[in-house]
């Protein structure tokens, strides 16, 4: 059974409540429970059975809009072990990597599972997604988030805890992978193993945060001789304020989150025609590598205590979704007509 993405709210569903000032709260419906705000409360039982998009009043008459969250809403509010890939980048990843139904896709690392959700929806049940993550705690959060969204763990998805360079050859024979998406600190270390796994014409896409990483990974693809010339880009989204004649850009926008670099696998033995204009190569030392680490870039790590808390939160949401599916499966089985009895027996 799969999670419902439309129809009346069910116990175990995730519901997004929007208050009068636009404040959003996401809850998982449980019979008998109550959601409290600083201005009144909402009983979960009043939501169960209502159609998606209903407006309800809480205990003091304050109205709230109830909607089943879109995937964009879900990934922005789900528990996180690692930073997520924003929806604006996930959409471009699906487009630039040309992820299609039935594709065999490799993803590393899995982080909190945000991109895994987008990829799983894109490849469909006939596809295969192999995710690789070095940290087991992050993989636990990702598994729970995916189970919470779909209501089960998709059969098309596997998560391997380990290093991609060591684990990928055992998981996929040479030239059997359609697409590879790398979201890691040093994707240039994986160029050779990715080249072995990709089918000729297959696409590799790297998501990197800094210009130094961007430079390093582009040069690594060029030096390998196995790929087309890499194409780097970044995506920015700017909303607009529209009220009557007051039409202007929003004061805030989602600016730089990361760079996307795409390249395609050449056929074995093929030599890419030399570009007429090409940037000069630069050498990279160990000191340069150290300057690109998260600590040197000022990125804040997540504490073990905070990570354990997020694992528990993600697991609780997943358990509620899985329990709902189990109840519905049992109810469906109990309502099935009894088998006909053979009169001759």
């Amino acid at each position: 059974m799969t999670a419902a993405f439309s129809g009346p709210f069910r116990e175990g569903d995730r519901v997004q409540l929007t208050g009068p000032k636009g404040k959003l709260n996401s809850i998982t419906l449980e019979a008998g429970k109550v959601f409290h705000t600083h201005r009144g409360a909402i009983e979960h039982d009043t939501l169960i059975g209502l159609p998606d998009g209903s407006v309800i009043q809480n205990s003091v008459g304050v109205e709230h809009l109830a909607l089943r969250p879109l995937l964009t809403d879900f990934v922005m509010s789900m528990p996180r072990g690692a930073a997520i890939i924003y929806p604006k980048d996930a959409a471009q990843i699906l487009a630039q990597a040309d992820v299609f139904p039935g594709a065999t896709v490799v993803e590393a690392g899995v982080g909190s599972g945000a991109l895994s959700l987008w990829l799983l929806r894109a490849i469909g049940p006939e596809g295969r997604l192999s995710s690789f993550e070095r940290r087991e705690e992050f993989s636990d959060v990702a598994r729970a988030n995916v189970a919470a969204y779909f209501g089960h763990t998709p059969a098309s998805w596997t998560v391997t805890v380990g290093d991609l360079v060591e684990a990928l050859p055992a998981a996929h024979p040479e030239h059997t992978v359609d697409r590879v998406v790398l979201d890691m600190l040093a994707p240039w270390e994986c160029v050779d193993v990715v080249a072995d796994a990709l089918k000729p014409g297959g696409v590799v896409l790297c998501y990197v945060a800094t210009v130094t990483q961007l430079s390093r990974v582009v040069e690594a693809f060029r030096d390998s001789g196995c790929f087309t010339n890499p194409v780097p880009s970044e995506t920015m989204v700017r909303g607009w304020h529209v009220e009557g004649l007051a039409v202007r850009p929003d004061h805030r926008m989602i600016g730089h989150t990361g760079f996307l670099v795409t390249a395609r696998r050449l056929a074995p033995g093929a030599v890419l025609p030399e570009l007429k204009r090409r940037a000069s190569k630069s050498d990279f030392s160990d000191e340069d590598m150290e300057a690109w680490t998260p600590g040197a870039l000022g990125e804040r790590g997540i504490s073990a205590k905070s990570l354990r808390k997020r694992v528990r939160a993600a697991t609780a949401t997943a358990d509620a979704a899985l329990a709902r599916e189990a109840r519905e499966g049992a109810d469906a089985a109990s309502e099935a007509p009894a088998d006909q009895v053979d009169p001759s027996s």
Side-chain angles (χ1 to χ4, degrees), residues 20 48 58 104 139 229 247 322 331 337:
I48 296 174
N58 67 7
T104 297
S139 70
N229 195 49
V247 181
L322 295 173
D331 292 343

Side-chain angles (χ1 to χ4, degrees), residues 166-202:
E166 299 174 357
L168 182 56
H172 293 275
E174 288 189 2
H175 309 311
T176 58
V177 175
D178 296 299
R179 306 290 185 259
V180 175
V181 181
L182 303 178
D183 174 20
M184 55 177 61
L185 180 64
W188 49 85
E189 296 176 352
C190 306
V191 169
D192 291 340
V193 70
V194 167
D196 291 339
L198 273 174
K199 298 177 181 178

Side-chain angles (χ1 to χ4, degrees), residues 53-256:
S54 295
V55 176
I56 63 170
Q57 291 185 347
N58 67 7
S59 57
V60 296
V62 177
E63 291 185 334
H64 287 73
L65 172 63
L67 285 166
R68 185 175 277 107
L70 304 176
L71 180 53
T72 297
D73 303 316
F74 182 86
V75 299
M76 295 302 293
S77 63
M78 69 186 191
R80 304 179 187 180
I84 65 167
I85 289 182
Y86 275 73
K88 73 178 182 70
D89 292 319
Q92 285 297 312
I93 288 171
L94 297 182
Q96 294 187 28
D98 192 43
V99 180
F100 57 90
T104 297
V105 181
V106 168
E107 171 200 21
V110 69
S112 298
L115 184 60
S116 302
L117 287 166
W118 291 102
L119 292 171
L120 286 166
R121 288 221 312 193
I123 64 175
E126 301 302 319
R128 179 185 178 189
L129 175 62
S130 297
S131 299
F132 296 83
E133 173 57 54
R134 287 181 175 180
R135 297 189 60 176
E136 188 168 2
E137 301 92 337
F138 289 172
S139 70
D140 290 341
V141 174
R143 287 189 180 100
N145 284 330
V146 169
Y149 181 75
F150 287 110
H152 67 283
T153 299
S156 57
W157 186 44
T158 58
V159 182
T160 301
V161 178
D163 186 85
L164 181 70
V165 173
E166 299 174 357
L168 182 56
H172 293 275
E174 288 189 2
H175 309 311
T176 58
V177 175
D178 296 299
R179 306 290 185 259
V180 175
V181 181
L182 303 178
D183 174 20
M184 55 177 61
L185 180 64
W188 49 85
E189 296 176 352
C190 306
V191 169
D192 291 340
V193 70
V194 167
D196 291 339
L198 273 174
K199 298 177 181 178
V203 180
V204 57
L205 183 146
C206 298
Y207 178 88
V208 293
T210 70
V211 292
T212 44
Q213 289 173 301
L214 174 64
S215 175
R216 181 68 182 267
V217 72
V218 166
E219 294 301 335
F221 280 128
R222 286 175 175 161
D223 291 343
S224 72
C226 297
F227 294 90
T228 60
N229 195 49
V231 179
S233 66
E234 66 174 332
T235 304
M236 297 185 183
V237 175
R238 184 175 71 173
W240 277 72
H241 171 90
V242 180
E243 289 188 10
L245 296 178
V247 181
R248 55 169 175 74
D250 282 340
H251 294 306
R252 295 183 178 181
M253 66 175 290
I254 302 175
H256 174 78

Side-chain angles (χ1 to χ4, degrees), residues 1 325-339:
M1 298 184 68
E325 298 300 326
R327 285 195 304 271
E328 292 185 355
D331 292 343
S334 64
E335 293 173 2
D339 292 339

Side-chain angles (χ1 to χ4, degrees), residues 27-38:
I27 63 173
T28 301
L29 295 180
E30 297 182 50
K33 287 224 170 179
V34 179
F35 170 68
H36 293 276
T37 72
H38 69 287

